[in-house]
Amino acid sequence: MAQELVPNVRAHKAHLALNVKDFEVSLAFYRKLLGIEPGKVRTGYAKFDLQNPPLNLTLNQAVFGERGALSHLGIQVASTEDVVATRDRWRAAGLETLDEMRTDCCYAVQDKTWVSDPDGNRWEVFVVLEDNLPEKQSVLTTATAGAACCSNMPAAESCSRSAQS
């Protein structure tokens, strides 16, 4: 019998977001590795949307030291109702969640909720409500643009922190 994250919630695909130090070098590597072009490229950010295996892989340019290249992990679902159902299951299991509804993140409008594992790795379950938004002019530098959203912290916190830089 197959195990389900939440009964009757259809997950689209896994989401993996990688912090990268040299965006252009990483972009070229993943184009070669995956054999496809990213569906979305912005300053310091790229999204590869694979159908087989089903994977939403993003590259986020960031400055990091010893922590490594992992930004966050996620599960993309079909609807806001699926986000809420997953959040409710996580809460019922005793996990602390943080909701971000209609948030502007990764050049898309999303509904999402976050949890952290014991080592601080952030997990999100999310639905994309509106995709492929244009890049906004801001005070972000190339080095922080990809990390401004879609980072290892909730978008609201990381976006406000980047805007204050």
Side-chain angles (χ1 to χ4, degrees):
M1 176 180 215
Q3 297 293 316
E4 295 181 8
L5 178 66
V6 176
N8 302 316
V9 170
R10 288 189 24 218
H12 284 293
K13 58 186 74 175
H15 168 54
L16 179 61
L18 298 176
N19 286 332
V20 298
K21 287 184 179 180
D22 187 332
F23 177 74
E24 294 300 328
V25 170
S26 295
L27 182 59
F29 172 81
Y30 281 98
R31 281 177 165 144
K32 291 176 186 175
L33 178 74
L34 301 171
I36 65 170
E37 288 296 311
K40 189 185 319 181
V41 178
R42 302 291 188 272
T43 305
Y45 175 84
K47 175 183 174 185
F48 293 90
D49 195 8
L50 287 83
Q51 298 307 311
N52 189 18
L55 176 65
N56 170 340
L57 173 69
T58 59
L59 307 178
N60 302 281
Q61 185 168 355
V63 177
F64 58 92
E66 296 179 27
R67 184 175 167 267
L70 183 62
S71 173
H72 65 278
L73 304 154
I75 301 166
Q76 184 174 355
V77 296
S79 68
T80 298
E81 291 78 17
D82 291 343
V83 170
V84 172
T86 303
R87 181 209 54 207
D88 291 348
R89 189 189 70 71
W90 285 348
R91 284 182 178 172
L95 299 177
E96 185 178 333
T97 64
L98 176 67
D99 290 345
E100 290 188 306
M101 299 301 180
R102 300 218 40 92
T103 188
D104 184 350
C105 180
C106 297
Y107 308 98
V109 176
Q110 302 177 10
D111 285 342
K112 61 176 68 186
T113 192
W114 295 87
V115 295
S116 294
D117 76 9
D119 294 311
N121 293 307
R122 308 269 311 149
W123 276 90
E124 66 176 325
V125 62
F126 68 100
V127 61
V128 175
L129 303 171
E130 184 180 348
D131 199 9
N132 217 12
L133 300 177
E135 189 168 353
K136 295 178 181 178
Q137 296 292 5
S138 70
V139 296
L140 300 176
T141 66
T142 300
T144 62
C149 287
C150 316
S151 72
N152 64 342
M153 65 183 76
E157 184 180 339
S158 63
C159 287
S160 64
R161 183 175 294 171
S162 296
Q164 294 170 0
S165 303

